[in-house]
Amino acid sequence: MTHFVINIKNLTKNYETVAGVVPVLKGIDLSVSSGEFLAIMGASGSGKSTLMNILGCLDTPSGGIYELNGTDIQSLDKNSLASFRNSMIGFIFQGFNLLPRMSIIDNIALPLVYAGIPKEERIERARIMLEKVGLGLYGSYRPNQISGGQQQRVAIARALINRPKLILADEPTGNLDTKTSEEIMTLFSDLNTQEGITIILITHENNIAQYAQSIVHIHDGKIDFREPTNRMEERIK
Amino acid sequence: MIWSMLHEALEAMIANRMRSFLTMLGMMIGVGAVIIMSAIGAGAQEAVKQSIASMGSNLFIVLSGSTTSGGARMGSGATPTLTIGDAEAIAELPSIAEVAPIASGMAQVIYGSNNWSTTIMGSTPNILTVRNWTMESGYSFTDADVRGATRVALIGKTVAENLFGDENPVGKMIRIKQSPYQVVGVLALKGQSLDGRDQDDTIIVPVTTAQHKLFGSQFQGTVRLIMAQAVSADQMNEAENQMTELLRQRHHIRDNKENDFSIRNLAAMAASAADTAKVMSLMLGAIASISLLVGGIGIMNIMLVSVTERTREIGIRVAIGAHERDILLQFLLEALMISIFGSMIGILLGVGGAFIAENFLSMSVIFTSQSILTAFGVAATIGIFFGFYPARKAAKMEPIDALRFQ
Ligand SMILES: Nc1ncnc2c1ncn2[C@@H]1O[C@H](COP(=O)(O)OP(=O)(O)OP(=O)(O)O)[C@@H](O)[C@H]1O
Ligand SMILES: [Mg+2]
């Protein structure tokens, strides 16, 4: 039997607005097994980010079941959710979301501060991570002193630092040019193939989605269909 | 953890230098004001205490003329009615320990080429006991001098300095109203009285000398006032009643007539002066505390702005695993740091301000390490108290709302 990292049954999300209750997710069933690389595609407003935020324990569903690594998320309180995010999940956002006042190395080490890891170890691990994303020389820079592609690498290093089981990336290449996007995607697929990290990624671009193993298409709050990609073939081309 | 948070709080403070400084300014002024005000208040209280001690204890002043008619004073001491005989009779009362009659006036005093205008008090040697006055050098005149109305004088420190400078006055001859007097002693330093007069700017001569030789036309055998000292603090009421009865008898005042003298209880006046000084120093403290409170509100205001401005930062921190208490602590530390830095500078300002008040405005100030510690403690408490609400607001944010914030 396959071990699922994510197990979702009939998940719904409604937003309360002045105009009334707006259903955004209308019953999602989704299982993601350990080591999988999944892309989510769909029209703007179809509910991709909403789903991603729930997967990342940043938002709570209105109904249905969400199990992450065997734990029912709805049974956790705010603090347990914070610990869960800290140790299980790495986030990567379209807008990078680095803290502008901190150096690159401190940005990368920040999740370890909240994990209660002593300073020497934090800095040591952050340095290793920085090397891994190819930015070894930039540790003391501030986020506004490096390019967008470099910032996204820093964000990836920060997402990876506490050795998460799951990486969630919401349009990570949305602000980057084609060449830089390809470099970032290569980094993702290496992480997936070499370290077996589970990755879920939202994108609007088909060639980006092709780096994944399969694509889930979302339409109007529901899963339309799920198809495999031919990753190996793409690479040979 | 706490170190990296302190470090971050410091960086946040430095990143917003101007704003942090302005916020701190509130605390600086507040703490500085509390320290200056309490130092001045304590100084004033101490000055009053010293004046009271220098006055002599359990004292009455008996003046010529009636005190009140419907609350208003009727020129006490205007028409002299008291005599040395009255003073001697009062001294016989069981509740009275010592009595000194005083006939006083202003006069020009000359020594060599120096001259000085001062108060001349004609009295008896008892005045030294009554006023708790000691001799710095020389000796007091005696009862024999009083009987003989000799021309001898005791001079106060201020007079001695102005007439003699560094010279030793004892044994020297001075001229008061053209007549020669021998200085037999110099009075020890006494300082200011409750109403701010220099008590050392005076000369004491025998009362008879003053009556007959100095101010003869004015007194004609009477004295301006009589100082009387009760045997103890709890005999004060007794003494006042006995004196009133005695003087009414001696002055032949009928039952339906008002007194032609008045008795003032200096102990009661001293007590009320001490109370006034205490109330004043409390008021100063209260006013200063208000500025401290305003400083605290300034911190709260700026922290609320800061929390709103950094909503996105809070969202990012929470997304990567910050707990509620991490965020709470972070903002609380920032508020605390501003208030503590502010109050440290405020302490320096306060000490400096009090130094200026003491040396350039010649106010008496007293520092207690207690007042400094209290100001510091209160400032830290204010930092926590006014920092808590904004910090809690930050900590309670939902991660998704914080991240979506533009
Ligand atoms: N806080 C909210 N309150 C009300 N409606 C919301 C809220 N957040 C999202 N929605 C609505 O939910 C729908 C889905 O939004 P979502 O951000 O998930 O779309 P998306 O698929 O990620 O789109 P895009 O590709 O443009 O990022 C949208 O119609 C949006 O208006
Ligand atoms: Mg989206």
Side-chain angles (χ1 to χ4, degrees):
Chain A
M1 195 187 134
T2 342
H3 174 238
F4 293 120
V5 177
I6 286 175
N7 215 342
I8 284 176
K9 291 227 165 54
N10 196 27
L11 190 87
T12 58
K13 178 71 183 177
N14 304 324
Y15 283 113
E16 315 259 345
T17 65
V18 278
V21 177
V22 183
V24 174
L25 299 182
K26 301 169 180 171
I28 303 257
D29 295 308
L30 180 67
S31 296
V32 181
S33 49
S34 183
E36 206 170 336
F37 188 170
L38 189 75
I40 297 176
M41 296 189 77
S44 198
S46 55
K48 305 182 296 294
S49 293
T50 306
L51 175 62
M52 194 66 123
N53 291 332
I54 292 173
L55 290 179
C57 305
L58 292 170
D59 206 353
T60 47
S62 306
I65 292 171
Y66 173 27
E67 279 176 17
L68 178 58
N69 208 35
T71 307
D72 178 9
I73 289 306
Q74 265 133 313
S75 69
L76 298 178
D77 65 6
K78 218 178 154 188
N79 278 331
S80 318
L81 283 176
S83 303
F84 228 72
R85 285 194 296 271
N86 187 253
S87 59
M88 298 280 293
I89 303 166
F91 279 100
I92 293 148
F93 305 90
Q94 179 175 355
F96 318 135
N97 278 347
L98 302 176
L99 294 187
R101 276 204 312 270
M102 283 188 181
S103 68
I104 298 302
I105 205 87
D106 286 343
N107 260 287
I108 295 175
L110 193 58
L112 299 182
V113 172
Y114 296 124
I117 287 170
K119 181 157 184 168
E120 293 76 40
E121 188 184 339
R122 289 204 300 261
I123 298 301
E124 177 64 23
R125 276 168 69 177
R127 289 223 170 278
I128 294 169
M129 225 57 229
L130 201 58
E131 290 291 343
K132 197 158 166 177
V133 297
L135 289 174
L137 295 173
Y138 295 86
S140 57
Y141 284 51
R142 305 265 149 165
N144 62 0
Q145 293 170 320
I146 59 176
S147 75
Q150 289 169 327
Q151 286 187 54
Q152 196 59 297
R153 285 168 185 273
V154 173
I156 293 171
R158 182 180 67 187
L160 289 173
I161 189 122
N162 210 13
R163 302 170 187 134
K165 284 221 162 10
L166 178 65
I167 292 278
L168 300 175
D170 192 345
E171 300 187 51
T173 60
N175 285 350
L176 304 175
D177 65 23
T178 319
K179 186 172 165 292
T180 319
S181 298
E182 280 168 7
E183 286 169 14
I184 295 288
M185 288 317 295
T186 311
L187 189 57
F188 275 122
S189 44
D190 288 350
L191 286 170
N192 177 248
T193 49
Q194 290 166 16
E195 315 207 0
I197 296 174
T198 312
I199 300 176
I200 301 177
L201 162 146
I202 295 176
T203 181
H204 281 285
E205 291 164 76
N206 194 44
N207 62 323
I208 297 290
Q210 292 305 321
Y211 283 86
Q213 294 163 347
S214 53
I215 303 174
V216 167
H217 291 268
I218 290 192
H219 178 70
D220 194 20
K222 282 185 181 149
I223 291 183
D224 216 9
F225 61 95
R226 182 171 178 162
E227 59 170 354
T229 59
N230 199 334
R231 205 158 91 176
M232 302 313 286
E233 244 175 78
E234 280 290 320
R235 279 196 175 169
I236 290 159
K237 273 187 197 171
Chain B
M1 180 87 161
I2 194 83
W3 283 115
S4 63
M5 279 191 157
L6 272 174
H7 184 77
E8 271 187 45
L10 194 66
E11 290 208 328
M13 212 172 82
I14 293 167
N16 279 313
R17 265 175 234 102
M18 193 60 189
R19 183 197 283 182
S20 308
F21 173 74
L22 289 176
T23 315
M24 267 186 226
L25 206 56
M27 290 309 287
M28 287 180 214
I29 293 172
V31 171
V34 166
I35 286 179
I36 293 184
M37 292 305 175
S38 59
I40 288 177
Q45 264 182 290
E46 185 58 30
V48 166
K49 223 191 260 173
Q50 275 174 8
S51 300
I52 290 172
S54 76
M55 195 172 71
S57 49
N58 308 330
L59 274 193
F60 287 103
I61 292 184
V62 186
L63 289 160
S64 296
S66 64
T67 28
T68 53
S69 175
R73 175 162 295 148
M74 305 264 292
S76 21
T79 41
T81 53
L82 297 167
T83 62
I84 293 178
D86 289 335
E88 281 164 355
I90 290 172
E92 299 298 317
L93 291 172
S95 55
I96 298 293
E98 297 280 355
V99 173
I102 294 175
S104 62
M106 294 292 292
Q108 185 87 357
V109 187
I110 300 171
Y111 173 73
S113 60
N114 299 335
N115 71 76
W116 187 250
S117 186
T118 187
T119 310
I120 316 288
M121 291 201 287
S123 192
T124 58
N126 278 350
I127 188 153
L128 300 183
T129 331
V130 171
R131 294 292 318 278
N132 193 20
W133 222 330
T134 54
M135 302 298 300
E136 189 190 78
S137 57
Y139 295 96
S140 166
F141 57 78
T142 62
D143 288 332
D145 289 311
V146 175
R147 279 193 299 277
T150 54
R151 294 185 198 270
V152 288
L154 301 176
I155 64 175
K157 268 312 254 185
T158 307
V159 176
E161 272 159 26
N162 282 288
L163 285 184
F164 292 93
D166 294 335
E167 241 181 289
N168 179 11
V170 177
K172 304 273 161 49
M173 297 303 286
I174 54 175
R175 299 183 80 84
I176 306 176
K177 280 196 172 173
Q178 315 306 331
S179 314
Y181 284 75
Q182 185 176 35
V183 177
V184 293
V186 179
L187 297 161
L189 193 72
K190 214 163 179 50
Q192 282 198 342
S193 68
L194 266 181
D195 51 10
R197 276 180 303 111
D198 178 3
Q199 300 184 89
D200 301 305
D201 188 4
T202 194
I203 292 181
I204 304 176
V205 298
V207 63
T208 43
T209 315
Q211 278 179 325
H212 304 305
K213 297 178 174 160
L214 263 176
F215 311 115
S217 56
Q218 192 186 340
F219 284 102
Q220 297 174 337
T222 62
V223 294
R224 187 181 292 281
L225 54 92
I226 297 171
M227 288 196 139
Q229 185 171 38
V231 288
S232 69
D234 35 284
Q235 295 267 338
M236 291 293 280
N237 283 335
E238 181 80 11
E240 187 166 352
N241 291 338
Q242 287 179 356
M243 280 192 291
T244 310
E245 201 178 324
L246 176 77
L247 289 176
R248 283 181 74 90
Q249 255 176 30
R250 287 180 59 88
H251 293 189
H252 310 293
I253 299 169
R254 276 194 243 128
D255 286 352
N256 56 349
K257 291 275 196 240
E258 276 192 21
N259 295 341
D260 64 350
F261 59 91
S262 63
I263 299 177
R264 283 197 222 160
N265 183 336
L266 284 190
M269 281 169 62
S272 81
D275 280 351
T276 309
K278 196 169 177 183
V279 168
M280 196 189 78
S281 77
L282 278 178
M283 289 247 298
L284 288 177
I287 291 168
S289 306
I290 289 173
S291 60
L292 204 55
L293 192 73
V294 173
I297 293 170
I299 289 184
M300 178 140 148
N301 192 13
I302 241 33
M303 288 313 291
L304 281 174
V305 171
S306 172
V307 167
T308 308
E309 254 182 17
R310 286 154 68 188
T311 301
R312 209 177 163 72
E313 174 192 326
I314 295 166
I316 295 168
R317 287 175 185 275
V318 171
I320 62 176
H323 285 213
E324 259 181 46
R325 72 177 135 76
D326 297 326
I327 303 292
L328 186 83
L329 208 59
Q330 184 190 344
F331 282 91
L332 215 48
L333 275 178
E334 277 186 48
L336 199 58
M337 203 170 259
I338 287 178
S339 72
I340 284 183
F341 273 149
S343 58
M344 286 200 302
I345 300 173
I347 286 173
L348 294 182
L349 279 183
V351 172
F355 179 80
I356 289 172
E358 184 168 31
N359 291 289
F360 297 98
L361 307 174
S362 60
M363 289 167 131
S364 53
V365 303
I366 291 176
F367 281 115
T368 51
S369 55
Q370 194 195 349
S371 77
I372 293 176
L373 283 178
T374 310
F376 197 70
V378 168
T381 314
I382 280 180
I384 292 176
F385 183 80
F386 287 99
F388 187 78
Y389 174 73
R392 207 181 99 96
K393 194 178 164 210
K396 287 285 175 201
M397 266 186 223
E398 288 298 327
I400 190 65
D401 297 334
L403 273 175
R404 278 218 194 92
F405 185 86
Q406 292 306 319

